[in-house]
Amino acid sequence: MQAIPYGRQHITDEDIAAVVATLKSDFLTQGPQIEAFEKAFAQVIGSKYAVALSNGTAALHLCAMALGVNENSKVITTPITFAASANCVRYCGGEVVFADIDPKTALIDIDSVRKLLEASPKGTYHGMIPVDFAGYPVNLEEFRKLADEYGLFIIEDSCHSPGGYFTDSQGVKQNCGNGNFADLAIFSFHPVKHIACGEGGMITTNNEVLYKKLLQLRTHGITKDPALMHENHGGWYYEMQTLGYNYRLPDMNAALGLSQLQRFDEGLARRRFIAKKYDEAFVGTNIKTISAPENFGHGYHLYVIQVENRKELYDFLRTKNIFSQVHYIPVHTLPYYQSMGYKKGAYPNAEEYYANCLSIPMYPSMTDQEQEYVIEQILSFCQS
Ligand SMILES: *Cc1c(COP(=O)(O)O)cnc(C)c1O
């Protein structure tokens, strides 16, 4: 059996042709593919606006900047996420405050967020960054209510959940990242994610003011829009009005993303099919899994199992050419955050989750045969 990773990209001849066509065009950096990709992505997600960026981390950084995070900001997020969800607050000089997870969902626990907010005077916190971890959608309607009580912004880290949705109190399906509850949402197009650009990211929003701010921050804080400029010296003239970055996505990468987007539904359906097969295979075993309620659409970036002898299983699977992975080492326990005074033991649910979790292979191009082999090996380990 060929090596089976925990996740991987799927590149077709159409994808390759799209990239080659862009290479032969006039635009290598930001060109027509960017706008086409942004439009198509916003449509799939159901947001008004989308801004393509060089990667998901750059997207998080610009979100924090656009929402005014600074040295006086305290922003709440979950320890069970990729470090970038927290780092974006640090880029802007703000303080990261973690809230523990709910062990039933592995998502940030709203009660633990509420406790933090209630324990300090109003105005202490600036915002929150909930993460649709593994693809399980956060119920953002509930988080929005809480955020509004305390005047907080919400950045939704939807990297794991394009195509995921929760059902709100009115019975309406709310797509992850659709901007109805979060001020801004971000996605990544790293090859293990649903859509691969090589490197790439996207911010979605329904807020026009933030949208325009993001366009400017993406390209050095520069504008060429005569309506926005203070002066105008001629055709060459531009103004750098604020300190931005070069976080542009190259047109080749956007062409790849746009081509991949054509197979988005297919890929998501395949992920859900694979998840269902795993769910069924692990019923009645000592393997714990998390699935979302019926009226939630899980995005299944990851399929996570929880087992007591996680390290032994990880090592065993490697000997069988199956490369599982752990998501995530709790962010507050990483040496950088430890050096800033965050304490191990502070978030017991997150730490217990980390002790037992293992992400097993989940990607659309995994064959039935490969998945059966994975299941067989896991069950044989757990029964021995
Ligand atoms: C992948 C990921 C990111 C960062 O995306 P990059 O494109 O790799 O910079 C941020 N948050 C989460 C939850 C992710 O999974």
Side-chain angles (χ1 to χ4, degrees):
M1 188 68 69
Q2 262 206 320
I4 305 176
Y6 85 87
R8 66 161 297 158
Q9 72 276 17
H10 178 227
I11 304 290
T12 62
D13 289 343
E14 288 79 16
D15 292 343
I16 293 166
V19 174
V20 170
T22 307
L23 279 169
K24 291 177 178 168
S25 80
D26 291 338
F27 296 90
L28 296 188
T29 184
Q30 214 162 271
Q33 295 298 317
I34 294 291
E35 220 168 286
F37 185 34
E38 289 174 339
K39 273 220 176 91
F41 193 80
Q43 192 163 18
V44 165
I45 296 301
S47 67
K48 265 195 190 145
Y49 307 105
V51 180
L53 295 151
S54 45
N55 56 67
T57 304
L60 280 163
H61 183 191
L62 290 198
C63 286
M65 275 184 85
L67 290 163
V69 174
N70 62 32
E71 293 74 16
N72 303 315
S73 302
K74 284 181 191 239
V75 179
I76 300 169
T77 193
T78 168
I80 297 298
T81 185
F82 184 55
S85 312
N87 293 350
C88 65
V89 177
R90 297 294 308 130
Y91 296 155
C92 298
E95 184 188 332
V96 181
V97 180
F98 294 101
D100 208 350
I101 61 163
D102 176 349
K104 293 191 296 294
T105 60
L107 302 179
I108 191 169
D109 176 23
I110 195 162
D111 292 329
S112 122
V113 176
R114 190 178 285 115
K115 266 189 209 134
L116 281 174
L117 296 173
E118 283 171 354
S120 304
K122 272 198 177 174
T124 301
Y125 290 94
H126 191 164
M128 55 169 93
I129 308 178
V131 180
D132 303 312
F133 170 69
Y136 193 132
V138 171
N139 185 330
L140 280 186
E141 185 182 28
E142 290 173 358
F143 278 87
R144 184 77 261 174
K145 253 185 236 152
L146 184 61
D148 285 347
E149 257 177 72
Y150 287 85
L152 269 57
F153 69 68
I154 298 180
I155 300 170
E156 179 185 11
D157 185 334
S158 342
C159 283
H160 296 184
S161 60
Y165 63 85
F166 73 94
T167 302
D168 71 12
S169 57
Q170 308 298 310
V172 178
K173 280 185 187 179
Q174 299 286 351
N175 287 346
C176 295
N178 71 2
N180 286 346
F181 300 99
D183 299 276
L184 299 168
I186 74 118
F187 295 88
S188 163
F189 307 124
H190 179 283
V192 296
K193 309 284 163 79
H194 289 55
I195 292 167
C197 283
E199 297 279 358
M202 193 77 86
I203 300 173
T204 53
T205 184
N206 292 341
N207 182 320
E208 189 181 2
V209 175
L210 289 173
Y211 169 66
K212 289 190 168 158
K213 221 185 227 185
L214 291 166
L215 291 182
Q216 207 168 333
L217 288 172
R218 170 171 70 180
T219 179
H220 310 280
I222 285 175
T223 184
K224 289 178 187 169
D225 180 354
L228 299 176
M229 296 192 301
H230 299 96
E231 299 172 27
N232 196 347
H233 303 173
W236 67 87
Y237 189 71
Y238 61 81
E239 285 184 358
M240 189 202 125
Q241 297 180 328
T242 179
L243 186 62
Y245 293 85
N246 177 356
Y247 280 165
R248 293 187 298 264
L249 182 70
D251 232 34
M252 294 91 80
N253 301 63
L256 179 55
L258 183 58
S259 177
Q260 293 244 312
L261 200 55
Q262 313 310 310
R263 302 196 304 283
F264 179 73
D265 290 341
E266 207 178 296
L268 184 62
R270 178 75 190 147
R271 284 176 185 275
R272 288 180 175 153
F273 179 83
I274 289 170
K276 191 155 174 284
K277 249 170 97 177
Y278 277 143
D279 286 346
E280 287 164 5
F282 300 141
V283 169
T285 69
N286 56 353
I287 297 164
K288 236 178 91 186
T289 62
I290 293 175
S291 47
E294 285 275 306
N295 58 348
F296 275 46
H298 199 301
Y300 286 113
H301 162 55
L302 301 173
Y303 191 93
V304 183
I305 63 173
Q306 294 173 73
V307 284
E308 266 170 25
N309 35 7
R310 186 267 313 275
K311 185 174 186 307
E312 290 72 20
L313 176 57
Y314 172 88
D315 291 337
F316 171 80
L317 291 177
R318 279 190 79 135
T319 68
K320 302 294 175 186
N321 229 3
I322 299 167
F323 294 83
S324 60
Q325 183 54 284
V326 170
H327 298 92
Y328 285 99
I329 304 163
V331 179
H332 69 284
T333 70
L334 297 171
Y336 170 74
Y337 284 96
Q338 286 285 294
S339 77
M340 294 184 53
Y342 294 84
K343 295 275 177 291
K344 282 188 184 161
Y347 308 99
N349 293 343
E351 289 169 49
E352 197 181 319
Y353 182 80
Y354 168 60
N356 299 327
C357 67
L358 191 66
S359 305
I360 61 173
M362 164 58 84
Y363 50 95
S365 60
M366 178 164 56
T367 64
D368 291 346
Q369 205 185 2
E370 284 168 329
Q371 189 186 10
E372 276 151 27
Y373 172 74
V374 171
I375 291 171
E376 202 180 293
Q377 294 307 322
I378 292 172
L379 290 183
S380 84
F381 174 85
C382 289
Q383 282 154 7
S384 64

